[in-house]
Structure formats: C-alpha cells, structure tokens
Amino acid sequence: MQTSQSFGIHFTTRPDKAKDGREPIYACVTVNRQRAYIALKQNVDPKNWDSGKGVAKGNKDEVKSINNYLEEVRLAIGSSYKELQLKRKMLSAKAVKDLYLGAEQEVYTMSRLFAYHNESSTTDLKWSTLKHYYVTQRYLIKFLEQQYNASDIYLHQLDYKFVKDFEVFLRNHKPKDHQKPLNNNGVMKHIIRLKKMVNLALNLQWINNDPFATYKLKIQKVNREQLSELELKAIEEKKFGIERLDMVRDMFVFCCYTGLSYVDVSNLEPEHIVTGTDGDRWIRTCREKTMIPVIVPILPKALAILDKYKDNERALYDGRVFPKISNQKVNSYLKEIADRCDIIKNVTFHIARHTFATTVTLSNGVPIETVSKILGHTKITTTQIYAKVVERKLKEDMEGLKIRLQSL
C-alpha cells in the first residue's frame, strides 16, 4: 500500500537539441521515480550552465534572468503538484506536467468517464442496472485510495497491471458491514463493468490503448437452483395462516407458472391481462430489464391466483395486480416459507423463474424455443443457462428410447 509520494524538480539541458551554440532548458519532474520533461522557453550557453545544481552560473544579467525564471517555474510546478494532492487525484509526473501546461481539460479521468456514462445511460439502462455501476465506481475509489492514495486516475494511466491489481483488491476486500465478501463471479461482474467503461473511452477516443487487450475474464459456471415438483407442491399446499406469507407465496407460485421476474410481477397491471384469440387469458407486457415484449399464456394455477387478487384493495389502490412489497422483504419471507416447508435450498424470488424454465416447462416437454420466447430472452443460449434437464424428463426420454429400440 502506497502511503507517501516522492516529488522532485530538477532543471537540465538537452545538448542534442542545441542550436547556434545554445542548449534548451528542460524541467524534469519526478514523482515516485517516474519522470516527465517540460520544455521551457529558455536557452543557455553550456559554458554558463551548472548541470549538478541545475542552474545558470555567472553574474551576467542574462544568467540572473534565467535563474529567476527557473525559480518561478519551480514554484508553479510545485503548486500544480499540491493542487493534485488537494483534489486527491492520481499523482504522477505526467499529471503534474499536464496541469502545469494547462492541459488538464484535455486529460480524461475515471470519474469523468463514469459521470459521462451514467448521465448518457439514463434512457438506455434501468436504474436497477445502472445502480450497479455506482457500486463498481465506489469499489474503484476504495482501491485508488488504498493503492495510490488518490480518489481518481487519468485514463491514460490504465494498463494491464491496474486491472489485475483491481481484481486482487476485490478478491481480498473484506466488507465492514453485513455484506459477504465477493465471490469469483461477483468480482468478475465489477471487472466487466470496468471493461465496458474502458470500451466506452476507446470509442470516445479518450484513450488509445486497451488495458484489457491481454486480460482474460475468469467466470465460473454456476449451478442454477430451482424447486423440484415436490418442493413446489409443498409451497403451494402449505397453510400459513399469516397474510404476509400467503401473499408472498402466491406471488412466488404465480411466477413459477408464468416465468415473470420480481420486478415484472410487481409492475403487472390489470390492463396487462388480455384475452387472446383462443378465448383464454394471456399476460402481455414488457420486461423491465430489457424492454423486450413478453406474451405469456396463463396456466390454470396462475389464473386461480389472479382471480384471488382481483378485488384486493391494496393492489387496486396502486393500480397493480398484486400488492406492493419490497424485494428485500419478499426474499426474507421466502426464507421463512422455505423453513416451514422443510426446504433446505436458499429460496429467493428469482428461483421462481428458474423453476418455470425447468420444472414447469422444459421437464414437461415444452420446446426450449417456446420457453425462451416466454422468458423474454433474445438468445437461446441465455435460456440454456436456466434449462437443466431434470431427472424425471431424462428418465422419460430414456424410457421412450427403450420402447423404440425394442420395437426394432
């Protein structure tokens, strides 16, 4: 961890750029052993230059004038360094040089990139997605404070090492609140958001080099959890006698038979329930996350739940199908429901969507293309993440194969 900064200014000449017997003077700025050279508007006769002290020597008025100018430059460069310190920006020799030369507005920072992204994405991304970028930005600030004693960094300073060090920081970070440490895929989510920021900077031509050019994401395949047929039936038939648990159970079971997510069922309005050409009732809505249209046939068990809540005063007051309840409370109550039903799985509301994809549809022979359409996916590969072949379906398929083979 870097806790202090080394800073120095030394003046030197460039004999290789001598003209008419005079050498140009440069200011050499050093920050943590990194150097940046600034060409000054002064030339000196090498006979009148003290390379050890970095000053002009002699008593002539010209020499005094050069040294006075160099002292002014030293003070100005020092002020630029202090300004960067006060603003808690990433300290480097180039950053000091850029600020001294007045090029600060042309040098883009990480905070400026995030600000541009967040402002320009308000119409493209839902808040539920956009808020994760703010979380990644907070992790980056913590990383910069710990690693560089700064709160910001210039984009041109990003390189492979920065990305790798950020990954290590995320893996070792121990939250001080109730949150759990990040797992591998949680770390990769933040790296992916940083990569998207870098790609945006490349497209805007704010940087020239891609620090992710040789970096490899390491995403681990996750075994998606879902309820079995028996577990789903246990939740459906359990008598709770507590209104809040009954309501959350009904919403959860409704989504097990429709494939809707928590946010989509929370936003479901009576006008989204339509009568199809077949005379049956359907759900016609758009996914909050992607705004992709979704058309879902309402299965009998989901239809029974709809009818149960058609006159619910809380739901009608908000113009919704179900009463409003936060996702945090829903997941808390679902854990209580799982305990009462003797289900040892970590039941969250999103498991309803997995259950619909596997236990309710695919294991009962519904084609994956149909399931993908109902879930609102744009790619079959996305549906395949949910679509595990459960044992009952596998057994049925193998039994069918046995029968066909025996008839040959």
Side-chain angles (χ1 to χ4, degrees):
M1 177 176 170
Q2 194 172 327
T3 57
S4 62
Q5 305 281 346
S6 63
F7 171 67
I9 305 168
H10 182 72
F11 297 104
T12 185
T13 61
R14 292 283 301 272
D16 58 313
K17 292 185 177 291
K19 188 175 181 181
D20 299 328
R22 299 175 68 85
E23 298 174 358
I25 302 174
Y26 282 73
C28 175
V29 181
T30 305
V31 178
N32 296 327
R33 299 181 181 180
Q34 292 182 346
R35 295 178 179 178
Y37 290 89
I38 303 173
L40 304 180
K41 298 177 181 178
Q42 291 288 338
N43 297 289
V44 65
D45 187 328
K47 296 178 182 178
N48 298 329
W49 182 253
D50 187 331
S51 58
K53 295 181 180 179
V55 295
K57 58 185 180 180
N59 297 317
K60 293 182 180 179
D61 290 340
E62 180 191 8
V63 169
K64 292 179 181 180
S65 176
I66 290 174
N67 286 337
N68 288 337
Y69 170 73
L70 295 183
E71 191 58 32
E72 290 176 2
V73 170
R74 185 188 301 277
L75 291 172
I77 294 175
S79 296
S80 297
Y81 176 78
K82 289 179 181 178
E83 184 177 338
L84 290 174
Q85 279 186 315
L86 290 172
K87 290 183 178 180
R88 291 188 60 77
K89 290 194 173 182
M90 180 73 172
L91 292 170
S92 69
K94 189 176 187 308
V96 175
K97 174 183 176 180
D98 289 335
L99 184 55
Y100 169 76
L101 294 176
E104 185 181 27
Q105 297 303 317
E106 299 175 7
V107 181
Y108 300 98
T109 64
M110 179 70 72
S111 61
R112 184 174 176 184
L113 177 62
F114 266 92
Y116 176 82
H117 170 268
N118 296 340
E119 289 173 8
S120 62
S121 299
T122 52
T123 56
D124 301 326
L125 299 177
K126 295 295 180 182
W127 170 246
S128 57
T129 300
L130 189 58
K131 67 181 181 181
H132 295 302
Y133 284 87
Y134 286 95
V135 177
T136 299
Q137 188 176 15
R138 287 198 293 270
Y139 272 115
L140 277 165
I141 291 173
K142 288 181 181 178
F143 166 67
L144 289 169
E145 289 175 343
Q146 177 177 309
Q147 196 80 3
Y148 300 98
N149 194 29
S151 59
D152 205 355
I153 184 172
Y154 289 106
L155 296 180
H156 63 70
Q157 294 174 294
L158 298 181
D159 54 16
Y160 175 88
K161 184 178 184 301
F162 179 90
V163 178
K164 193 65 183 176
D165 287 347
F166 182 48
E167 178 193 332
V168 172
F169 167 81
L170 291 172
R171 293 189 186 281
N172 295 332
H173 181 68
K174 294 179 175 57
K176 295 181 180 179
D177 53 18
H178 65 281
Q179 294 179 340
K180 296 179 181 179
L182 293 169
N183 59 22
N184 177 79
N185 286 3
V187 170
M188 288 299 107
K189 284 288 186 181
H190 291 294
I191 299 295
I192 287 170
R193 293 186 198 108
L194 175 59
K195 189 175 189 297
K196 288 181 178 179
M197 291 293 95
V198 168
N199 287 338
L200 175 61
L202 287 167
N203 291 334
L204 291 169
Q205 296 182 342
W206 286 6
I207 53 174
N208 298 319
N209 299 318
D210 182 6
F212 283 91
T214 58
Y215 181 86
K216 301 294 183 183
L217 292 167
K218 298 177 283 292
I219 299 176
Q220 296 175 352
K221 290 185 178 181
V222 177
N223 185 25
R224 301 276 179 167
E225 198 74 270
Q226 86 283 336
L227 296 182
S228 67
E229 195 173 349
L230 290 176
E231 290 168 335
L232 178 56
K233 185 178 181 181
I235 290 179
E236 289 179 45
E237 297 179 351
K238 185 71 174 179
K239 304 296 182 183
F240 295 108
I242 302 175
E243 183 181 356
R244 61 181 174 84
L245 296 184
D246 283 334
M247 184 187 75
V248 171
R249 184 266 308 278
D250 291 339
M251 291 177 65
F252 179 80
V253 172
F254 180 81
C255 290
C256 285
Y257 287 100
T258 59
L260 295 181
S261 65
Y262 160 77
V263 67
D264 292 333
V265 76
S266 297
N267 293 335
L268 197 63
E269 300 176 5
E271 64 185 41
H272 296 144
I273 310 302
V274 300
T275 302
T277 54
D278 56 0
D280 292 334
R281 281 190 279 180
W282 293 62
I283 296 173
R284 187 186 297 272
T285 185
C286 285
R287 286 207 67 200
E288 174 80 8
K289 183 177 181 180
T290 60
M291 295 308 295
I292 294 174
V294 174
I295 303 175
V296 185
I298 304 178
L299 297 172
K301 290 187 178 181
L303 193 58
I305 295 173
L306 271 184
D307 292 337
K308 177 180 176 180
Y309 284 85
K310 66 181 180 181
D311 297 320
N312 185 280
E313 292 183 0
R314 285 177 56 194
L316 291 173
Y317 178 80
D318 293 319
R320 299 289 194 269
V321 170
F322 293 100
K324 278 188 175 180
I325 182 170
S326 71
N327 195 12
Q328 185 177 9
K329 285 185 177 180
V330 163
N331 285 325
S332 176
Y333 296 158
L334 279 173
K335 286 177 173 53
E336 189 175 345
I337 289 171
D339 287 341
R340 291 185 176 220
C341 296
D342 298 321
I343 298 173
I344 60 174
K345 293 175 181 175
N346 180 27
V347 179
T348 63
F349 204 91
H350 204 62
I351 278 184
R353 197 162 161 84
H354 301 173
T355 302
F356 173 80
T358 55
T359 307
V360 174
T361 56
L362 287 161
S363 62
N364 285 302
V366 178
I368 192 171
E369 292 82 6
T370 302
V371 177
S372 182
K373 186 72 175 178
I374 294 174
L375 291 175
H377 293 162
T378 56
K379 298 178 181 178
I380 292 291
T381 51
T382 306
T383 313
Q384 288 171 339
I385 296 174
Y386 293 87
K388 294 187 299 183
V389 179
V390 295
E391 290 181 5
R392 183 170 68 83
K393 179 67 168 100
L394 184 61
K395 183 178 180 180
E396 288 177 358
D397 290 343
M398 292 306 293
E399 288 295 333
L401 177 60
K402 287 180 184 178
I403 294 172
R404 288 194 295 274
L405 290 174
Q406 289 173 358
S407 65
L408 294 177

